[in-house]
Amino acid sequence: VQLQASGGGLVQAGGSLRLSCTAVSENIFNINDMGWYRQAPGKQRELVAVITRRGIRNSPDSVKGRVTISRDDAKNTVYLQMNRLKPEDAAVYYCNAEISRPGRGAAEYWGQGTEVTVSS
């Protein structure tokens, strides 16, 4: 299974970006939780948003109201819409998913990361 992330780039403070991440595999049975994390230089990786199979969303207060996570299970894709971006949002963003495959149970996968730069 590969998680292919895209959509990062350079944006001015106050601007918006939409990140996408698609799970690619020949045999995906179920995708459970899908989420986005970020890691800025010198900092630990932190949760940005997560969405369950049932569509329950969660995100920390630092981004709540500015980010929206959504998923399209027909496309095995999770999206992260980020608005009113701040310089402190700059980081490498990683997608994450718990995926069940036939005969193998559930496992956690990470995307390769997509960089978001916010200019002030």
Side-chain angles (χ1 to χ4, degrees), residues 64-83:
K64 197 164 288 184
R66 299 189 297 116
V67 305
T68 300
I69 188 169
S70 60
R71 61 191 286 169
D72 184 338
D73 288 334
K75 297 181 179 179
N76 293 335
T77 298
V78 61
Y79 305 95
L80 185 70
Q81 177 68 43
M82 300 188 292
N83 301 321

Side-chain angles (χ1 to χ4, degrees), residues 2 33 38 48-49 81 84 102 108:
Q2 287 188 342
D33 290 359
R38 67 186 181 189
V48 179
Q81 177 68 43
R84 304 194 307 277
E108 186 178 34

Side-chain angles (χ1 to χ4, degrees), residues 37-115:
Y37 291 74
R38 67 186 181 189
Q39 188 166 19
K43 295 187 177 181
Q44 290 187 333
R45 190 171 296 189
E46 62 177 2
L47 173 70
V48 179
V50 64
I51 184 169
T52 69
R53 281 187 64 198
R54 296 187 177 185
I56 298 172
R57 299 170 172 85
N58 192 27
S59 59
D61 290 342
S62 58
V63 300
K64 197 164 288 184
R66 299 189 297 116
V67 305
T68 300
I69 188 169
S70 60
R71 61 191 286 169
D72 184 338
D73 288 334
K75 297 181 179 179
N76 293 335
T77 298
V78 61
Y79 305 95
L80 185 70
Q81 177 68 43
M82 300 188 292
N83 301 321
R84 304 194 307 277
L85 282 160
K86 304 175 181 180
E88 52 263 43
D89 294 318
V92 177
Y93 282 69
Y94 297 91
C95 60
N96 171 276
E98 183 184 82
I99 297 174
S100 299
R101 301 168 69 189
R104 298 193 180 194
E108 186 178 34
Y109 296 89
W110 289 91
Q112 81 281 12
T114 184
E115 187 166 9

